[in-house]
Amino acid sequence: MDKTLSELYGERISEDWCERVAYSRDLGEIPAVLRSALKIENVPDLVARPSNARDVAAAMEYAKAGGVPVTPRGSASSGFFNAVPVKKGLCLDLCGLDQIEDVDQEAGTVTVGAGCRWLPLDRHLRRQGWAVRTYPTSAPTATVGGWINMEGYGVGSLAYSALIDQVVGMEVVFASGEIRWITPDSTPPTTWFAGSDGTLGVVTKVTLRIRRVPESEKHWLVSFADSDALGRAAVELASGYAGPYNMSFLHSSYFDLQRRMGHAAPDGDVLAVDYEDSAEAVAEGRQRVAEAAARHGGTILPDRLAEAEWEQRFRHLSLKRLGPSVLAAEDWIGPDRLGEYQAAVARLGRRLKTSFYTYGTIVGTQRMSVFTGYLTDRRKPLSYLIALSVTCRLHEIAGRLGGRPLGVGLWNTPYLPGIYSPEELTELRRRKKFLDPAGLLNPGKHYEWPALLSPGLFSLGANMGSLLQRFASGQ
Amino acid sequence: MDTNTYCTDVHDALSICARCGYCRDACPAYAASGWESYSPRGKFTILDSLAEGKDFPGTLANRVFQCTLCGACREACITGLDPRGMWVKLRKQLADRGQAPPVMEALGEMIMTKGNMAGEDKANRLLWTENVENVPEDTAGKKDAEVLYFIGCMASLYPAAYAVAQSSASMFLKAKVDFATMGADEICCGFPLVAGGLTGKLAEVAAANVRKIEELRPGRIVSTCPGCVHMWQHEYPSLLGKPVPVPVQHSSQYLLELAKEGRLRFKSFDKVVTYHDPCDLGRNNGIYEEPRELLRCVPGLQLVEMEKNREQALCCGGGGNLEMSDKDLSERIGTMKMAMIKRTGAQVVVTGCQQCRRTIQAAARREKARVRVMEITEFLLSVIDDGEG
């Protein structure tokens, strides 16, 4: 092991196989045969746990000198290998950077380490009368830095937009080893790092805008006969002033699985509407929800169901118990296209004899995420490999409706031409070259696809896989 | 010897695990070490990689024992897995293969030969009674008593914990409870064997204790030790294939009954108190409210909660035989616990377990914390109103 790093990190660096292999996965379940075919080396050679930006800078100096790939990692609570090495090298576990500084009462901001987890941060702030503005549905474990490096949309984004819009500034360690504090107006600006998969620099500290703990909060569930009506109600509620804090969508197929788990679940397609605001605004919200429900044929469900669903907002993955594996495609679409999306998913399900379930988050009048999953079993390698191809069909449905995959990492690189325009992709590659000319940071992600995942070849493979899925599906 | 491969009996769980990491951020061993490999998710990932054909490495064997078996991972798991149960099974497999820390083997040997985890002569189980006044001479081995007080190894054999047994006996006397003990015939409940991966010897221990209960025929068993309660309530019935012949309660449950019946009354105590949920009483036995209700019976007492309590409570670091396998890790967890206790501003921390009391007291000494640490029976005795002023 490198002597300088060893002396600097002490017990916070390891070459032990167990330590290294523990950092070789995320939520994504990729069969070893596929990893091997793609020549993915997901077990790092070395894992280090920095405790400050200087530690990270030293790691970058080491990487620069030896041409060692560096994979920054938060909690790895995504599923696209965003924070998993594909070319081994050094993995930086940033979870130790979890300090929370004092709230700036005047500015309404807090500065935190990039490894700070969202739920503990929110609880910490609430004890002082403050709260985070938005958070991911993996808040118990997801880190602030990790979510910046994803696209940063989640609970509360309807009211407060993307996470990056709440970032006043952040400390970044660049591939050169330089430590800099950047802002929305600096070069590079903070916005470059949103959804960049840790490929441009290692975020070590972030100053976030926060909010006062809302005076009042209330949650409603509105059941609709179909997703089309639900989508229209969602657009209406998201429009205009004093809208909800958060809205999410739970398709009836999601509740079918909840019932299979033995849980009580409502009928219909359900729009969850969450208000967190002044008592007056929440009361007004009640009126708006009632009006939207009446106008679009929805039924407001009992309060206890709405409260229970709100409590479950971090636990959607519980359905995996039924699999035991889940495969999924997550896309952005317009809420106004939700009905068409669900109809197309239903048709695909019938054609492939596959049961899908869907839920999502509405983040604006033009944009919502849809997570469409299906149960499978990784213990049956062949049928699992075939089932993998179905994600491609789901992304195609979203694409036909003007949507695109959410997040890139490694596994969505075949969809790069659908995620970015040619101009956008050129610009992203320019930024990468500018900030990390040697390509040390998280190589193999975001900008290029592995040869076997080139869009044409991938599409062909996915088509063949989908054909087989009709026969492989035991349903 | 169990001839299954290490991953066979956990194979389904490894497939079900979502690797969301919620267990990791609930795990005290992870929080104290900072390494993913200490966390349930980390161990799952390593185990899952072993399933692809790698040998079982020493680091993982260590990690399986570097755990307090607190069960926080089970509470956090969104797919409903029981990682704690897996660690217990894995510990047995490791012990069978000679990969458990040597101290575990020695512990097992001691329990099976001496009948206790302290290696003491069995006659010493009565030493704690010497400072308790008015304990009837026939208490040890008395038949048909209202209550059989199952004391546990720590409170009867470790002088620093005698106060727990002595307080219980005094409380029973003040409430005029007709109680008995097994005296020198009490043997270890077997809980340390579970944590040591030595479960093959459990049935023998369970049978011996149950035989004694059948002989003494008490109305119920009451214990101050959550580990003993867990064994009697949950492990013995499955080990022996029959229910334990009498009800089993933790002392907090029984004392609450006495308080409600008016057999116990308390003086005013105008201080701030916080309650530490022992993992083996709370998460592993489901007893959260009775100790709190008891504390609320004390006039003037202001009960404040730690930021993590009940199902989410942070372990004190003293469970799972961790002190034996990794004392430093155990102490680091204890230090985190003490920081959380200090944040409540409480002057007294009360707990329902003699081991938690010991671990937290040690942390308080290390951290020079100005907080008094007491087991619940001990605390209640200090505020009992027995009409003697």
Side-chain angles (χ1 to χ4, degrees), chain B residues 203-364:
Chain B
E204 197 181 320
V205 167
N209 274 325
V210 170
R211 263 199 310 276
K212 192 69 187 171
I213 288 297
E214 287 166 345
E215 184 192 320
L216 298 182
R217 300 183 305 272
R220 66 178 91 188
I221 299 168
V222 172
S223 182
T224 37
C225 172
C228 297
V229 172
H230 177 82
M231 293 303 292
W232 280 97
Q233 280 189 338
H234 301 287
E235 302 291 342
Y236 284 9
S238 60
L239 279 165
L240 302 177
K242 61 178 183 181
V244 170
V246 296
V248 180
Q249 287 181 303
H250 182 252
S251 50
S252 62
Q253 297 174 298
Y254 182 58
L255 295 178
L256 181 62
E257 279 182 28
L258 295 179
K260 283 181 174 173
E261 288 167 10
R263 293 167 73 180
L264 290 176
R265 274 192 289 274
F266 304 104
K267 293 181 288 197
S268 185
F269 185 75
D270 295 321
K271 286 187 176 167
V272 180
V273 173
T274 190
Y275 175 71
H276 163 72
D277 288 282
C279 306
D280 290 320
L281 188 62
R283 279 187 289 264
N284 296 332
N285 267 323
I287 300 169
Y288 298 107
E289 298 310 322
E290 290 92 333
R292 289 176 166 81
E293 221 178 310
L294 251 179
L295 292 173
R296 282 194 284 264
C297 290
V298 178
L301 183 150
Q302 188 191 343
L303 182 63
V304 294
E305 295 289 354
M306 284 178 245
E307 65 228 40
K308 288 187 171 187
N309 58 69
R310 297 180 173 81
E311 290 89 346
Q312 273 76 49
L314 174 66
C315 176
C316 68
N321 295 356
L322 180 63
E323 258 187 296
M324 296 181 195
S325 56
D326 191 338
K327 190 167 189 292
D328 178 56
L329 184 65
S330 170
E331 287 185 353
R332 277 187 275 163
I333 296 170
T335 300
M336 292 191 308
K337 183 81 218 185
M338 183 43 63
M340 196 177 278
I341 290 167
K342 280 158 75 175
R343 283 197 291 275
T344 65
Q347 293 146 297
V348 182
V349 56
V350 172
T351 185
C353 169
Q354 73 294 325
Q355 171 69 358
C356 296
R357 166 188 177 267
R358 194 175 75 83
T359 315
I360 297 171
Q361 275 178 345

Side-chain angles (χ1 to χ4, degrees), chain A residues 11 16-19 21 23 25-29 49 75 117 137 141 314 317-318 320-321 324 378-379, chain B residues 12 15-17 19-20 22 24-25 33-37 41 48-49 54 57 59 63 78-80:
Chain A
E11 290 182 349
D16 183 287
W17 180 80
C18 282
E19 304 297 0
V21 84
Y23 295 88
R25 307 274 283 275
D26 63 6
L27 271 59
E29 189 68 70
R49 298 189 296 110
S75 286
R117 277 51 138 208
T137 50
T141 196
F314 303 134
L317 273 174
S318 63
K320 189 173 182 298
R321 175 94 203 178
R378 68 161 199 175
R379 294 169 300 183
Chain B
D12 286 347
S15 294
I16 292 166
C17 170
R19 287 194 296 280
C20 61
Y22 288 12
R24 184 196 68 166
D25 284 310
S33 71
W35 284 105
E36 183 91 18
S37 63
R41 179 176 76 167
D48 207 21
S49 302
K54 294 192 171 74
T59 302
R63 297 293 180 265
I78 56 173
T79 54

Side-chain angles (χ1 to χ4, degrees), chain A residues 392 413-418 449-462:
Chain A
C392 185
T413 53
Y415 307 107
L416 276 172
W449 43 80
L452 273 176
L453 293 183
S454 64
L457 200 55
F458 180 75
S459 181
L460 183 66

